[in-house]
């Protein structure tokens, strides 16, 4: 049976950064709903065009299309060993839908590491974030710089700053998180799946605590 892990935390907490490390360690597929939307946007699919306005405003894409997109993705063969979900679920309705989809696939969520970081730190993290448009690897100009300035360590691509990492949009995204996603902390606490990790530590310390939590979970 597959292992299903949900990375919970506000935008900029370090979910994508940790996902790369954890997915490799456990041989899980890394499924980021944000990456899936950005891929659709790049390819100008109907879904991408629909999502664009919401993303640019820092709002959530409606539940029905988001759930359908993630359901299709986690049903593919490369997800049979399990999935590390990053950025999904983001609402209680998405969490309920996920429970149903996993039951159909014969699985269930085994652990929900929650990376906690205060809002002022998030703003600094997101405004210094640089992303590789080719492989999705994330960097920070101060905390996790690439070896060669402006270039991805993995494939040498020119790094870019995300449209929605502008200060006004970042603030909106954090507000949306507080209102719509933060209730999931209690949701997974009630199911005894939540493990809180202090996300203000170094990337290495956060990884170590998360790996330990997942091994136990
Ligand atoms: P999320 O996927 O949760 O939005 P990211 O993984 O993209 O967050 O991280 C946001 C930014 O913070 C990136 O620039 C990343 O390099 C940086 N970052 C991630 N974890 C840490 C950490 N523990 N300490 C300092 N900076 C970090
Ligand atoms: P992220 O890469 O996780 O920061 O997501 C970027 C943007 O994609 C968000 O601000 C939302 O507009 C959209 N998005 C990503 N995941 C979801 C989700 N689970 N539900 C709704 N919208 C999402």
């Amino acid at each position: 049976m597959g292992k299903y892990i949900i990375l919970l935390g506000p935008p900029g907490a370090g979910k994508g950064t940790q996902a790369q490390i954890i997915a490799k360690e456990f041989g899980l597929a890394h499924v980021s709903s944000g990456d899936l939307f950005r891929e659709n946007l790049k390819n100008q699919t109907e879904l991408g065009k629909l999502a664009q306005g919401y993303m640019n405003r820092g709002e959530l894409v409606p539940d029905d299309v988001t759930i359908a997109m993630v359901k299709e993705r986690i049903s593919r063969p490369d997800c049979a060993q399990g999935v590390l979900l990053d950025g999904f679920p983001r609402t209680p309705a998405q969490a309920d839908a996920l429970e149903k989809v996993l039951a159909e696939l014969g699985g269930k969520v085994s652990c929900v590491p929650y990376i906690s970081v205060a809002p002022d730190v998030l703003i600094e993290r997101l405004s210094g974030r640089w992303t590789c448009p080719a492989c999705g690897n994330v960097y920070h100009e101060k905390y996790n710089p690439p070896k060669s300035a402006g270039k991805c360590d993995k494939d040498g691509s020119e790094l870019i700053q995300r449209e929605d990492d502008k200060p006004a949009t970042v603030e909106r995204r954090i507000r949306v998180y507080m209102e719509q996603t933060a209730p999931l902390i209690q949701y997974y606490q009630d199911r005894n799946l939540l493990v809180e990790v202090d996300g203000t530590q170094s990337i290495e310390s956060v990884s170590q605590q998360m790996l330990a939590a997942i091994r136990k979970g």
Side-chain angles (χ1 to χ4, degrees):
M1 192 175 77
K3 198 177 176 75
Y4 297 96
I5 295 162
I6 296 168
L7 296 189
L8 195 60
K15 298 182 298 296
T17 302
Q18 297 299 331
Q20 301 270 355
I21 300 166
I22 297 167
K24 206 162 130 194
E25 179 74 19
F26 293 104
L28 303 172
H30 172 200
V31 173
S32 153
S33 43
D35 285 352
L36 293 175
F37 282 128
R38 281 184 288 278
E39 214 175 284
N40 275 282
L41 199 61
K42 200 165 83 185
N43 297 330
Q44 281 295 296
T45 66
E46 285 307 310
L47 177 62
K49 287 180 203 161
L50 185 147
Q52 184 165 27
Y54 296 100
M55 295 173 80
N56 287 345
R57 290 192 296 275
E59 292 166 9
L60 296 186
V61 179
D63 282 337
D64 53 351
V65 286
T66 303
I67 290 164
M69 173 183 76
V70 173
K71 181 178 179 181
E72 189 279 323
R73 178 67 189 87
I74 65 178
S75 306
R76 289 194 218 158
D78 68 314
C79 292
Q81 297 308 308
V83 183
L84 187 64
L85 285 160
D86 160 11
F88 181 95
R90 254 174 159 99
T91 63
Q94 292 181 13
D96 288 341
L98 176 67
E99 210 166 271
K100 282 208 195 87
V101 172
L102 294 187
E104 283 167 28
L105 293 170
K108 59 178 170 36
V109 177
S110 59
C111 184
V112 182
Y114 160 50
I115 312 177
S116 63
V117 175
D120 54 332
V121 179
L122 297 175
I123 292 170
E124 204 206 348
R125 291 237 185 125
L126 294 174
S127 56
R129 170 159 75 178
W130 290 82
T131 309
C132 174
C135 72
N137 219 33
V138 283
Y139 301 88
H140 191 281
E141 54 195 27
K142 207 153 104 193
Y143 305 122
N144 184 24
K147 292 196 182 82
S148 163
K151 297 235 164 28
C152 179
D153 291 352
K154 286 192 180 164
D155 55 32
S157 301
E158 199 82 31
L159 300 178
I160 56 159
Q161 277 195 301
R162 272 170 51 175
E163 219 12 68
D164 59 350
D165 279 347
K166 288 181 296 197
T169 319
V170 163
E171 279 175 30
R172 177 96 188 99
R173 287 164 62 205
I174 294 171
R175 257 204 322 276
V176 165
Y177 167 83
M178 298 293 191
E179 288 165 14
Q180 302 191 50
T181 308
L184 292 181
I185 298 167
Q186 189 65 50
Y187 182 103
Y188 286 114
Q189 214 154 34
D190 291 345
R191 287 160 176 74
N192 279 322
L193 292 169
L194 198 85
V195 183
E196 181 167 352
V197 176
D198 173 6
T200 57
Q201 309 169 90
S202 69
I203 292 174
E204 292 70 28
S205 304
V206 175
S207 302
Q208 267 160 28
Q209 290 186 16
M210 292 182 66
L211 292 173
I214 294 166
R215 283 198 188 97
K216 268 196 240 155

